[in-house]
Amino acid sequence: MQITDTIADMLTRIRNANSAKHDTVDVPASNMKKAIAQILVDEGYIKNFQVIEDDKQGIIRITLKYGENKSPIITGLRRVSKPGLRIYSSCEDLPKVMKGLGVAIISTSKGVMTDKAARKANAGGEVLAFIW
């Protein structure tokens, strides 16, 4: 099966595992997905991730994070820019997710970063996802 939007596939796997209250979720590895997983760790949405090498492309094992009574930390996860409709934004016009309570993940020429870091680095780019 050919997957055209691998980032949307990763976000969907995280969203589904989160709602099913799984401890971990496995995602096929790529450098973009590793950068997104690192942002999720830095922002406190997931516990950690590890890259498991195999003979193919590798696997990212993401350990999900829950609050009291197994309530999910990630309450919303949405893909913004899609292969059929790319969404670009300058650093001045970057969106604020839930008035600053959430995080937008931006792919810039300086790397994959959050909306706050992109504003600070004065770098616009493709808006990949919203997380809250």
Side-chain angles (χ1 to χ4, degrees):
M1 182 174 86
Q2 182 75 23
I3 298 174
T4 56
D5 192 358
T6 59
I7 296 170
D9 178 61
M10 173 188 179
L11 298 177
T12 300
R13 286 179 191 221
I14 293 172
R15 189 183 315 112
N16 289 344
N18 203 22
S19 64
K21 297 185 176 19
H22 289 274
D23 292 328
T24 62
V25 61
D26 289 345
V27 178
S30 74
N31 288 334
M32 177 74 80
K33 292 179 197 173
K34 290 175 196 172
I36 291 171
Q38 185 60 53
I39 288 174
L40 292 175
V41 169
D42 294 343
E43 294 294 320
Y45 288 106
I46 61 175
K47 282 185 187 174
N48 61 4
F49 73 97
Q50 62 181 359
V51 179
I52 301 167
E53 296 297 332
D54 59 0
D55 293 335
K56 301 173 191 129
Q57 71 186 52
I59 295 171
I60 301 173
R61 179 159 292 149
I62 299 171
T63 305
L64 299 174
K65 188 175 185 180
Y66 296 98
E68 295 179 14
N69 299 328
K70 202 96 165 157
S71 62
I73 298 294
I74 299 174
T75 56
L77 192 62
R78 195 180 84 184
R79 176 80 157 119
V80 178
S81 184
K82 300 175 177 81
L85 178 63
R86 299 289 185 193
I87 306 295
Y88 295 96
S89 181
S90 66
C91 61
E92 297 89 21
D93 299 331
L94 285 174
K96 287 192 175 186
V97 181
M98 294 193 62
K99 298 186 179 177
L101 296 176
V103 174
I105 299 177
I106 314 293
S107 175
T108 69
S109 59
K110 298 176 182 176
V112 179
M113 57 183 74
T114 64
D115 55 336
K116 295 173 190 128
R119 279 190 204 93
K120 198 175 288 185
N122 204 16
E126 182 181 358
V127 182
L128 296 177
F130 291 156
I131 302 162
W132 65 94

